[in-house]
Amino acid sequence: MSARGVERVNGRTSDERLIGHTIHALDDVDSTQAEIARLAAAGAPEGTVVTARHQRAGRGRRGRVWWDGAGDSLLVSILLRPSLPVAEASP
């Protein structure tokens, strides 16, 4: 706890959100991952969230196709910008 009684985690106070400060809630999208990648390329800040009620071209792990019925799932991607260089990340 800081002197003011506000807990700090990773340099942020509890009222400073890392994730969810910007949320793009979409009905239909090709893929939440593709949408978050477009937003990242356009300079969106870390913690930006994309949700969708349906996606037409979703991808799972290892490139597997992800299919959902319209309105059956809440699909979410979160933009993270870790300070770890990609070359040092685990495969």
Side-chain angles (χ1 to χ4, degrees), residues 17-69:
R17 287 185 188 179
L18 171 62
I19 296 174
H21 49 75
T22 303
I23 299 173
H24 298 263
L26 308 171
D27 283 329
D28 187 76
V29 67
D30 53 346
S31 160
T32 59
Q33 289 182 12
E35 185 65 24
I36 205 81
R38 286 189 286 270
L39 291 167
E46 182 174 30
T48 297
V49 174
V50 171
T51 69
R53 292 177 42 85
H54 177 65
Q55 59 185 6
R56 299 175 307 280
R59 308 187 305 272
R61 293 178 57 181
R62 299 183 185 207
R64 293 184 179 113
V65 174
W66 178 268
W67 184 88
D68 75 301

